Coordinates of all heavy atoms in Angstrom, one line a residue:
M66 N 7.7 1.6 -11.9 CA 6.5 1.3 -11.3 C 5.7 2.6 -10.9 O 6.4 3.5 -10.4 CB 6.8 0.4 -10.0 CG 5.6 -0.2 -9.5 SD 5.9 -1.4 -8.1 CE 7.2 -2.4 -8.8
I67 N 4.5 2.6 -11.1 CA 3.7 3.8 -10.7 C 3.1 3.5 -9.3 O 2.4 2.5 -9.1 CB 2.6 4.0 -11.7 CG1 3.2 4.4 -13.1 CG2 1.6 5.2 -11.3 CD1 2.2 4.6 -14.2
Y68 N 3.3 4.5 -8.4 CA 2.8 4.3 -7.0 C 1.5 5.1 -6.8 O 1.2 6.0 -7.6 CB 3.9 4.8 -6.1 CG 5.1 3.9 -6.0 CD1 6.2 4.1 -6.9 CD2 5.1 2.8 -5.2 CE1 7.3 3.3 -6.9 CE2 6.2 1.9 -5.2 CZ 7.3 2.2 -6.0 OH 8.4 1.3 -6.0
M69 N 0.8 4.8 -5.7 CA -0.3 5.6 -5.3 C -0.3 5.7 -3.8 O 0.4 4.9 -3.2 CB -1.6 4.9 -5.8 CG -1.9 3.6 -5.1 SD -3.4 2.7 -5.7 CE -4.6 3.6 -4.8
P70 N -1.0 6.7 -3.2 CA -1.0 6.8 -1.8 C -1.6 5.5 -1.2 O -2.7 5.0 -1.7 CB -1.9 8.0 -1.5 CG -1.9 8.8 -2.8 CD -1.7 7.8 -3.9
A71 N -1.0 5.0 -0.1 CA -1.5 3.8 0.5 C -3.0 4.0 1.0 O -3.7 3.0 1.0 CB -0.6 3.4 1.7
S72 N -3.3 5.2 1.3 CA -4.7 5.5 1.8 C -5.8 5.2 0.7 O -6.9 5.0 1.1 CB -4.8 6.9 2.3 OG -4.6 7.8 1.3
L73 N -5.4 5.2 -0.5 CA -6.3 4.9 -1.6 C -6.3 3.4 -2.0 O -7.2 3.0 -2.8 CB -5.9 5.7 -2.8 CG -6.0 7.2 -2.7 CD1 -5.5 7.9 -4.0 CD2 -7.4 7.7 -2.3
A74 N -5.4 2.6 -1.5 CA -5.3 1.2 -1.8 C -6.4 0.4 -1.1 O -6.7 0.7 0.1 CB -4.0 0.7 -1.5
R75 N -7.0 -0.6 -1.7 CA -8.0 -1.4 -1.1 C -7.3 -2.4 -0.2 O -6.3 -2.9 -0.5 CB -8.8 -2.2 -2.3 CG -10.0 -2.8 -1.8 CD -10.8 -3.4 -3.0 NE -10.2 -4.7 -3.1 CZ -10.1 -5.3 -4.3 NH1 -10.4 -4.7 -5.4 NH2 -9.6 -6.5 -4.4
Q76 N -8.0 -2.7 0.9 CA -7.5 -3.7 1.9 C -7.8 -5.1 1.4 O -8.9 -5.4 1.0 CB -8.0 -3.5 3.3 CG -7.4 -4.4 4.3 CD -7.7 -4.0 5.7 OE1 -7.7 -2.8 6.0 NE2 -7.9 -4.9 6.6
L77 N -6.8 -6.0 1.4 CA -6.9 -7.4 1.2 C -7.6 -8.0 2.4 O -7.2 -7.9 3.5 CB -5.5 -8.0 1.0 CG -5.5 -9.4 0.4 CD1 -6.1 -9.5 -1.0 CD2 -4.0 -9.9 0.4
T78 N -8.8 -8.6 2.1 CA -9.6 -9.2 3.2 C -9.6 -10.7 3.2 O -9.3 -11.3 2.1 CB -11.0 -8.7 3.2 OG1 -11.6 -9.1 1.9 CG2 -11.1 -7.2 3.3
P79 N -9.8 -11.4 4.3 CA -9.9 -12.8 4.3 C -11.0 -13.3 3.3 O -12.1 -12.6 3.2 CB -10.3 -13.2 5.7 CG -9.8 -12.0 6.5 CD -10.0 -10.8 5.6
G80 N -10.8 -14.3 2.6 CA -11.7 -14.8 1.6 C -11.3 -14.4 0.2 O -10.2 -14.1 -0.1
V81 N -12.3 -14.5 -0.7 CA -12.0 -14.2 -2.1 C -11.9 -12.7 -2.4 O -12.8 -11.9 -2.0 CB -13.1 -14.8 -3.1 CG1 -12.8 -14.4 -4.5 CG2 -13.1 -16.3 -2.9
N82 N -10.8 -12.2 -3.0 CA -10.7 -10.8 -3.4 C -10.5 -10.8 -4.9 O -9.5 -11.4 -5.4 CB -9.4 -10.2 -2.7 CG -9.6 -10.1 -1.2 OD1 -9.8 -9.0 -0.8 ND2 -9.4 -11.2 -0.5
A83 N -11.3 -10.1 -5.6 CA -11.1 -10.0 -7.1 C -10.4 -8.7 -7.4 O -10.7 -7.6 -6.9 CB -12.5 -9.9 -7.7
V84 N -9.3 -8.9 -8.1 CA -8.5 -7.7 -8.6 C -8.4 -7.7 -10.1 O -8.1 -8.7 -10.7 CB -7.0 -7.8 -8.0 CG1 -6.2 -6.7 -8.5 CG2 -7.1 -7.9 -6.5
S85 N -8.8 -6.6 -10.7 CA -8.8 -6.5 -12.1 C -7.9 -5.4 -12.5 O -7.9 -4.3 -12.0 CB -10.2 -6.2 -12.7 OG -11.1 -7.2 -12.3
I86 N -7.0 -5.7 -13.5 CA -6.2 -4.7 -14.1 C -7.0 -3.9 -15.1 O -7.5 -4.5 -16.0 CB -4.9 -5.4 -14.7 CG1 -4.2 -6.3 -13.7 CG2 -4.0 -4.3 -15.3 CD1 -3.7 -5.6 -12.5
G87 N -7.0 -2.6 -15.0 CA -7.8 -1.8 -15.8 C -7.2 -1.7 -17.2 O -6.1 -2.2 -17.5
G88 N -8.0 -1.1 -18.1 CA -7.6 -0.9 -19.5 C -6.2 -0.2 -19.7 O -5.6 -0.3 -20.7
E89 N -5.9 0.7 -18.7 CA -4.6 1.4 -18.8 C -3.4 0.5 -18.5 O -2.3 0.8 -18.8 CB -4.6 2.6 -17.8 CG -5.7 3.6 -18.0 CD -6.9 3.2 -17.3 OE1 -6.9 2.3 -16.4 OE2 -8.0 3.7 -17.6
G90 N -3.7 -0.7 -17.9 CA -2.6 -1.7 -17.7 C -1.8 -1.4 -16.4 O -0.8 -2.0 -16.2
Y91 N -2.3 -0.4 -15.5 CA -1.5 -0.1 -14.3 C -1.7 -1.2 -13.3 O -2.7 -1.9 -13.2 CB -2.0 1.2 -13.7 CG -1.8 2.4 -14.6 CD1 -2.8 3.3 -14.8 CD2 -0.6 2.6 -15.2 CE1 -2.5 4.5 -15.6 CE2 -0.3 3.7 -16.0 CZ -1.3 4.6 -16.2 OH -1.1 5.7 -17.0
N92 N -0.7 -1.4 -12.5 CA -0.7 -2.3 -11.3 C -1.9 -1.9 -10.4 O -2.3 -0.8 -10.3 CB 0.6 -2.3 -10.5 CG 1.8 -2.7 -11.3 OD1 1.7 -3.1 -12.5 ND2 2.9 -2.6 -10.7
E93 N -2.4 -2.9 -9.7 CA -3.4 -2.7 -8.6 C -2.6 -2.8 -7.3 O -1.9 -3.7 -7.1 CB -4.5 -3.7 -8.7 CG -5.4 -3.5 -9.9 CD -6.2 -2.1 -9.8 OE1 -6.6 -1.8 -8.7 OE2 -6.3 -1.5 -10.9
W94 N -2.9 -1.8 -6.4 CA -2.2 -1.8 -5.1 C -3.2 -2.3 -4.0 O -4.4 -1.9 -4.1 CB -1.7 -0.4 -4.8 CG -0.6 0.0 -5.6 CD1 -0.6 0.6 -6.9 CD2 0.8 -0.3 -5.4 NE1 0.6 0.7 -7.4 CE2 1.5 0.2 -6.5 CE3 1.5 -0.9 -4.3 CZ2 2.9 0.1 -6.5 CZ3 2.9 -1.0 -4.4 CH2 3.5 -0.4 -5.5
L95 N -2.7 -3.1 -3.1 CA -3.6 -3.6 -2.0 C -2.8 -3.4 -0.7 O -1.6 -3.6 -0.7 CB -3.9 -5.1 -2.2 CG -4.6 -5.5 -3.5 CD1 -4.5 -6.9 -3.7 CD2 -6.1 -5.0 -3.4
V96 N -3.6 -3.2 0.4 CA -3.0 -3.1 1.7 C -3.1 -4.5 2.3 O -4.2 -5.1 2.2 CB -3.8 -2.1 2.6 CG1 -3.3 -2.2 4.0 CG2 -3.6 -0.7 2.0
V97 N -2.0 -5.0 2.9 CA -2.0 -6.3 3.5 C -2.0 -6.1 5.0 O -1.0 -5.8 5.6 CB -0.8 -7.2 3.1 CG1 -0.9 -8.5 3.8 CG2 -0.8 -7.3 1.6
A98 N -3.2 -6.2 5.7 CA -3.3 -5.8 7.1 C -2.9 -6.9 8.1 O -2.7 -6.7 9.2 CB -4.7 -5.4 7.4
Q99 N -2.8 -8.2 7.5 CA -2.5 -9.3 8.4 C -1.8 -10.3 7.5 O -2.0 -10.4 6.3 CB -3.7 -9.9 9.0 CG -4.7 -10.5 8.1 CD -6.0 -10.9 8.8 OE1 -6.3 -10.3 9.8 NE2 -6.7 -11.8 8.2
D100 N -1.0 -11.2 8.1 CA -0.3 -12.3 7.4 C -1.4 -13.1 6.7 O -2.4 -13.4 7.3 CB 0.5 -13.2 8.3 CG 1.7 -12.4 8.8 OD1 1.9 -11.3 8.5 OD2 2.5 -13.1 9.6
C101 N -1.2 -13.6 5.5 CA -2.1 -14.4 4.8 C -1.4 -15.2 3.7 O -0.4 -14.8 3.2 CB -3.3 -13.6 4.3 SG -2.9 -12.4 3.0
I102 N -2.0 -16.3 3.3 CA -1.6 -17.1 2.2 C -2.5 -16.8 1.0 O -3.7 -16.9 1.1 CB -1.5 -18.6 2.5 CG1 -0.5 -18.9 3.6 CG2 -1.2 -19.4 1.2 CD1 -0.5 -20.3 4.1
V103 N -1.9 -16.3 -0.1 CA -2.7 -16.0 -1.3 C -2.4 -16.9 -2.4 O -1.3 -17.5 -2.5 CB -2.5 -14.5 -1.7 CG1 -3.0 -13.6 -0.7 CG2 -1.1 -14.3 -2.1
S104 N -3.4 -17.2 -3.2 CA -3.3 -17.9 -4.5 C -4.0 -17.1 -5.6 O -4.8 -16.2 -5.3 CB -3.8 -19.3 -4.3 OG -5.2 -19.3 -4.0
F105 N -3.7 -17.5 -6.8 CA -4.2 -16.7 -7.9 C -4.9 -17.5 -8.9 O -4.5 -18.6 -9.2 CB -3.1 -15.9 -8.6 CG -2.3 -15.0 -7.6 CD1 -1.2 -15.5 -6.9 CD2 -2.7 -13.7 -7.3 CE1 -0.5 -14.7 -6.0 CE2 -2.0 -13.0 -6.4 CZ -0.9 -13.4 -5.8
Q106 N -6.0 -17.0 -9.5 CA -6.6 -17.6 -10.7 C -6.4 -16.5 -11.8 O -6.8 -15.3 -11.6 CB -8.0 -17.9 -10.5 CG -8.2 -19.0 -9.5 CD -9.7 -19.3 -9.2 OE1 -10.6 -18.5 -9.5 NE2 -10.0 -20.4 -8.7
Y107 N -5.9 -16.9 -13.0 CA -5.7 -15.9 -14.0 C -5.8 -16.7 -15.4 O -5.7 -17.9 -15.4 CB -4.3 -15.2 -13.8 CG -3.2 -16.2 -13.6 CD1 -2.5 -16.8 -14.6 CD2 -2.9 -16.6 -12.3 CE1 -1.4 -17.6 -14.3 CE2 -1.9 -17.4 -12.0 CZ -1.1 -18.0 -13.0 OH -0.1 -18.9 -12.8
P108 N -6.0 -15.9 -16.4 CA -6.2 -16.6 -17.8 C -4.9 -17.3 -18.2 O -3.8 -17.0 -17.8 CB -6.4 -15.4 -18.7 CG -6.8 -14.3 -17.8 CD -6.2 -14.5 -16.5
E109 N -5.1 -18.4 -19.0 CA -4.0 -19.1 -19.5 C -3.1 -18.2 -20.4 O -3.6 -17.2 -21.0 CB -4.6 -20.2 -20.4 CG -3.5 -21.2 -21.0 CD -4.1 -22.3 -21.8 OE1 -5.3 -22.6 -21.6 OE2 -3.4 -22.8 -22.7
K110 N -1.9 -18.4 -20.4 CA -0.9 -17.6 -21.1 C -0.8 -16.2 -20.6 O -0.5 -15.3 -21.3 CB -1.1 -17.6 -22.6 CG -1.0 -19.0 -23.3 CD -1.0 -18.8 -24.8 CE -0.8 -20.2 -25.4 NZ -0.8 -20.2 -26.8
S111 N -1.0 -16.0 -19.3 CA -0.8 -14.7 -18.6 C 0.1 -14.9 -17.5 O 0.6 -16.1 -17.2 CB -2.2 -14.1 -18.2 OG -2.8 -15.0 -17.2
R112 N 0.5 -13.9 -16.8 CA 1.5 -13.9 -15.8 C 1.1 -13.0 -14.7 O 0.6 -11.9 -14.9 CB 2.8 -13.5 -16.4 CG 4.0 -13.4 -15.4 CD 5.2 -12.9 -16.1 NE 6.4 -13.1 -15.3 CZ 7.6 -12.6 -15.7 NH1 7.7 -12.0 -16.9 NH2 8.7 -12.8 -15.0
V113 N 1.3 -13.4 -13.4 CA 1.0 -12.6 -12.2 C 2.3 -12.3 -11.5 O 3.1 -13.3 -11.3 CB 0.0 -13.3 -11.3 CG1 -0.2 -12.5 -10.0 CG2 -1.3 -13.5 -11.9
I114 N 2.5 -11.1 -11.2 CA 3.7 -10.7 -10.4 C 3.3 -9.9 -9.2 O 2.5 -9.0 -9.4 CB 4.8 -10.0 -11.2 CG1 5.1 -10.7 -12.5 CG2 6.0 -9.7 -10.4 CD1 6.0 -10.0 -13.4
V115 N 3.8 -10.2 -8.0 CA 3.4 -9.4 -6.8 C 4.7 -8.7 -6.4 O 5.7 -9.4 -6.2 CB 2.9 -10.3 -5.7 CG1 2.6 -9.5 -4.5 CG2 1.6 -11.0 -6.2
F116 N 4.6 -7.4 -6.2 CA 5.7 -6.6 -5.7 C 5.5 -6.0 -4.4 O 4.3 -5.6 -4.0 CB 5.9 -5.4 -6.7 CG 6.3 -5.8 -8.1 CD1 5.4 -5.9 -9.1 CD2 7.7 -6.1 -8.4 CE1 5.8 -6.3 -10.4 CE2 8.0 -6.4 -9.7 CZ 7.1 -6.5 -10.7
T117 N 6.5 -5.8 -3.6 CA 6.5 -5.1 -2.3 C 6.7 -3.6 -2.7 O 7.1 -3.3 -3.8 CB 7.5 -5.5 -1.3 OG1 8.8 -5.3 -1.9 CG2 7.4 -7.0 -1.0
P118 N 6.4 -2.7 -1.7 CA 6.6 -1.3 -2.0 C 8.0 -0.9 -2.5 O 8.1 0.1 -3.2 CB 6.3 -0.6 -0.6 CG 5.3 -1.5 0.0 CD 5.8 -2.9 -0.4
D119 N 9.0 -1.6 -2.1 CA 10.4 -1.3 -2.5 C 10.7 -1.9 -3.9 O 11.8 -1.7 -4.4 CB 11.4 -1.7 -1.5 CG 11.5 -3.2 -1.4 OD1 10.9 -4.0 -2.1 OD2 12.4 -3.7 -0.5
G120 N 9.7 -2.5 -4.6 CA 9.9 -3.0 -5.9 C 10.4 -4.4 -6.0 O 10.7 -5.0 -7.1
T121 N 10.5 -5.1 -4.8 CA 11.0 -6.5 -4.8 C 9.8 -7.4 -5.3 O 8.7 -7.4 -4.7 CB 11.4 -6.9 -3.4 OG1 12.4 -6.0 -3.0 CG2 11.9 -8.3 -3.4
A122 N 10.1 -8.3 -6.2 CA 9.1 -9.3 -6.7 C 9.1 -10.4 -5.7 O 10.1 -11.1 -5.5 CB 9.4 -9.8 -8.1
I123 N 7.9 -10.7 -5.0 CA 7.9 -11.7 -4.0 C 7.0 -12.9 -4.6 O 7.0 -14.0 -3.9 CB 7.3 -11.3 -2.7 CG1 5.9 -10.6 -2.9 CG2 8.3 -10.3 -2.0 CD1 5.2 -10.3 -1.6
Y124 N 6.4 -12.8 -5.7 CA 5.7 -13.9 -6.4 C 5.7 -13.6 -7.9 O 5.5 -12.5 -8.3 CB 4.3 -14.0 -5.9 CG 3.5 -15.1 -6.5 CD1 3.5 -16.4 -6.0 CD2 2.7 -14.8 -7.7 CE1 2.8 -17.4 -6.7 CE2 2.0 -15.8 -8.3 CZ 2.1 -17.1 -7.8 OH 1.4 -18.1 -8.4
D125 N 6.0 -14.7 -8.6 CA 6.0 -14.6 -10.1 C 5.4 -15.9 -10.5 O 6.0 -17.0 -10.3 CB 7.4 -14.4 -10.6 CG 7.4 -14.2 -12.1 OD1 6.5 -14.7 -12.8 OD2 8.3 -13.5 -12.6
S126 N 4.3 -15.9 -11.2 CA 3.6 -17.2 -11.6 C 4.4 -18.0 -12.6 O 4.1 -19.2 -12.8 CB 2.2 -16.9 -12.2 OG 2.3 -16.1 -13.3
I127 N 5.4 -17.4 -13.2 CA 6.3 -18.2 -14.1 C 7.1 -19.2 -13.3 O 7.3 -20.3 -13.7 CB 7.2 -17.3 -14.9 CG1 6.3 -16.4 -15.8 CG2 8.3 -18.1 -15.7 CD1 6.5 -16.5 -17.3
T128 N 7.6 -18.8 -12.1 CA 8.5 -19.6 -11.3 C 7.9 -20.1 -10.0 O 8.3 -21.1 -9.5 CB 9.8 -18.9 -11.0 OG1 9.4 -17.7 -10.3 CG2 10.6 -18.5 -12.2
D129 N 6.8 -19.5 -9.6 CA 6.2 -19.9 -8.3 C 4.9 -20.5 -8.6 O 4.1 -20.0 -9.4 CB 6.0 -18.6 -7.4 CG 7.3 -17.9 -7.1 OD1 8.2 -18.6 -6.7 OD2 7.3 -16.7 -7.2
K130 N 4.6 -21.6 -7.9 CA 3.3 -22.3 -8.1 C 2.6 -22.4 -6.7 O 3.2 -22.4 -5.7 CB 3.5 -23.7 -8.7 CG 4.3 -23.7 -10.0 CD 3.5 -23.0 -11.0 CE 4.3 -22.9 -12.3 NZ 3.9 -21.7 -13.2
G131 N 1.3 -22.5 -6.8 CA 0.5 -22.6 -5.5 C 0.4 -21.3 -4.8 O 0.5 -20.2 -5.4
G132 N 0.1 -21.3 -3.5 CA 0.0 -20.1 -2.7 C 1.3 -19.6 -2.3 O 2.3 -20.2 -2.3
T133 N 1.3 -18.3 -1.8 CA 2.5 -17.7 -1.3 C 2.1 -16.9 0.0 O 1.0 -16.4 0.1 CB 3.1 -16.8 -2.3 OG1 4.4 -16.3 -1.8 CG2 2.3 -15.5 -2.6
L134 N 2.9 -16.9 0.9 CA 2.7 -16.2 2.2 C 3.0 -14.8 2.0 O 4.1 -14.4 1.6 CB 3.6 -16.8 3.3 CG 3.5 -16.1 4.7 CD1 2.1 -16.2 5.3 CD2 4.6 -16.7 5.6
L135 N 2.0 -13.9 2.4 CA 2.2 -12.5 2.4 C 2.2 -12.1 3.9 O 1.3 -12.3 4.6 CB 1.1 -11.8 1.7 CG 0.9 -12.0 0.2 CD1 -0.2 -11.1 -0.3 CD2 2.2 -11.6 -0.5
R136 N 3.3 -11.5 4.3 CA 3.4 -10.9 5.6 C 2.8 -9.6 5.7 O 2.6 -8.9 4.6 CB 4.9 -10.8 6.0 CG 5.7 -12.0 6.1 CD 5.3 -12.8 7.3 NE 6.1 -14.0 7.4 CZ 5.8 -15.0 8.3 NH1 4.8 -14.8 9.1 NH2 6.5 -16.1 8.3
K137 N 2.3 -9.2 6.9 CA 1.7 -7.8 7.0 C 2.7 -6.8 6.5 O 3.8 -6.7 7.0 CB 1.4 -7.6 8.5 CG 0.7 -6.2 8.7 CD 0.4 -6.0 10.2 CE -0.1 -4.6 10.4 NZ -0.4 -4.4 11.8
I138 N 2.3 -6.1 5.4 CA 3.1 -5.0 4.9 C 2.2 -3.9 4.6 O 1.0 -4.1 4.4 CB 3.9 -5.4 3.6 CG1 3.0 -6.0 2.6 CG2 5.0 -6.4 4.0 CD1 3.7 -6.4 1.3
P139 N 2.7 -2.6 4.5 CA 1.8 -1.5 4.3 C 1.0 -1.6 3.0 O -0.2 -1.4 3.0 CB 2.8 -0.3 4.1 CG 4.1 -0.8 4.8 CD 4.1 -2.2 4.6
Y140 N 1.6 -2.1 1.9 CA 0.8 -2.3 0.7 C 1.7 -3.1 -0.3 O 2.9 -3.2 -0.2 CB 0.3 -1.1 0.1 CG 1.3 0.0 -0.2 CD1 1.8 0.2 -1.5 CD2 1.7 0.9 0.8 CE1 2.8 1.2 -1.7 CE2 2.6 1.9 0.5 CZ 3.1 2.0 -0.7 OH 4.0 3.0 -1.0
L141 N 1.0 -3.7 -1.3 CA 1.8 -4.4 -2.3 C 1.1 -4.2 -3.7 O 0.0 -3.7 -3.7 CB 1.8 -5.9 -2.0 CG 0.5 -6.7 -1.9 CD1 0.0 -7.2 -3.3 CD2 0.6 -7.9 -1.0
S142 N 1.8 -4.5 -4.7 CA 1.3 -4.2 -6.1 C 1.1 -5.6 -6.8 O 2.0 -6.4 -6.7 CB 2.3 -3.4 -6.8 OG 2.0 -3.3 -8.2
V143 N 0.0 -5.7 -7.5 CA -0.2 -6.9 -8.3 C -0.3 -6.4 -9.7 O -1.1 -5.5 -10.0 CB -1.6 -7.6 -7.8 CG1 -1.9 -8.7 -8.7 CG2 -1.5 -8.0 -6.4
T144 N 0.4 -7.1 -10.6 CA 0.3 -6.8 -12.0 C 0.0 -8.1 -12.7 O 0.5 -9.2 -12.3 CB 1.5 -6.1 -12.5 OG1 1.3 -5.8 -13.9 CG2 2.8 -7.0 -12.4
V145 N -0.7 -8.1 -13.8 CA -1.0 -9.2 -14.6 C -0.6 -8.9 -16.0 O -0.9 -7.9 -16.6 CB -2.5 -9.6 -14.6 CG1 -2.7 -10.8 -15.6 CG2 -3.0 -10.0 -13.2
S146 N 0.2 -9.8 -16.6 CA 0.7 -9.6 -18.0 C -0.1 -10.6 -18.9 O 0.0 -11.8 -18.6 CB 2.2 -9.9 -18.1 OG 2.6 -9.9 -19.4
L147 N -0.8 -10.2 -19.9 CA -1.6 -11.1 -20.7 C -0.9 -11.2 -22.0 O -0.3 -10.3 -22.6 CB -3.0 -10.5 -21.0 CG -3.8 -10.3 -19.7 CD1 -5.1 -9.7 -20.1 CD2 -4.1 -11.7 -19.1
H148 N -0.9 -12.4 -22.5 CA -0.3 -12.8 -23.8 C -1.4 -12.8 -24.9 O -2.4 -13.5 -24.7 CB 0.4 -14.1 -23.8 CG 0.8 -14.6 -25.1 ND1 1.9 -14.1 -25.7 CD2 0.3 -15.5 -25.9 CE1 2.1 -14.7 -26.9 NE2 1.1 -15.6 -27.0
C149 N -1.3 -12.0 -25.9 CA -2.3 -11.9 -26.9 C -1.7 -12.4 -28.2 O -0.7 -11.9 -28.7 CB -2.8 -10.5 -27.1 SG -4.1 -10.3 -28.4
Q150 N -2.3 -13.4 -28.8 CA -1.8 -14.0 -30.0 C -2.7 -13.7 -31.2 O -3.9 -13.8 -31.1 CB -1.7 -15.5 -29.8 CG -1.1 -16.3 -31.0 CD -0.9 -17.7 -30.7 OE1 -0.9 -18.1 -29.5 NE2 -0.8 -18.5 -31.7
N151 N -2.1 -13.2 -32.3 CA -2.8 -12.9 -33.5 C -3.5 -14.2 -34.0 O -2.9 -15.2 -34.1 CB -1.9 -12.4 -34.5 CG -2.6 -11.7 -35.7 OD1 -3.7 -12.0 -36.0 ND2 -1.9 -10.8 -36.4
T152 N -4.8 -14.1 -34.4 CA -5.5 -15.2 -34.8 C -5.5 -15.4 -36.4 O -6.1 -16.3 -36.9 CB -7.0 -15.2 -34.4 OG1 -7.6 -13.9 -34.9 CG2 -7.1 -15.2 -32.9
R153 N -4.8 -14.6 -37.1 CA -4.7 -14.7 -38.5 C -3.5 -15.4 -38.9 O -2.5 -15.4 -38.5 CB -4.7 -13.3 -39.2 CG -6.1 -12.7 -38.9 CD -6.1 -11.3 -39.6 NE -7.3 -10.7 -39.2 CZ -7.9 -9.7 -39.9 NH1 -7.3 -9.3 -41.0 NH2 -9.0 -9.2 -39.5

């Protein structure tokens, strides 16, 4: 996992937060300043995994459905895995 300074991570705010994984495919890091329940919208045949700073997966869209409670933690990592199927 590639880390970044917490001071550079965007704060997760109440309401809708859009997180996009860039072309490099690196995880996006967010600061969780207060307990909150999060849910995800993502493309079909993709996967969302949420990691704590110690690398523990606390949400995986393959096994977890609906929202998940995030406790106030210094920061977390969100990664999206997309499935690309050849059209030929």
Side-chain angles (χ1 to χ4, degrees):
M66 192 174 309
I67 297 177
Y68 293 91
M69 65 182 281
S72 62
L73 298 178
R75 196 176 83 214
Q76 183 166 322
L77 189 63
T78 59
V81 176
N82 292 259
V84 176
S85 298
I86 305 300
E89 300 86 16
Y91 295 135
N92 297 356
E93 289 294 321
W94 290 90
L95 300 166
V96 173
V97 181
Q99 61 189 26
D100 292 359
C101 63
I102 296 174
V103 294
S104 58
F105 303 93
Q106 294 179 341
Y107 47 91
E109 187 178 333
K110 295 189 177 182
S111 60
R112 179 181 190 185
V113 174
I114 305 173
V115 178
F116 295 96
T117 61
D119 68 2
T121 302
I123 58 172
Y124 178 87
D125 185 333
S126 62
I127 297 243
T128 56
D129 301 313
K130 302 299 177 208
T133 189
L134 174 66
L135 295 182
R136 297 285 183 189
K137 179 181 175 182
I138 55 177
Y140 54 96
L141 62 88
S142 173
V143 176
T144 185
V145 177
S146 172
L147 298 175
H148 173 75
C149 181
Q150 184 174 337
N151 193 338
T152 58
R153 294 181 186 205

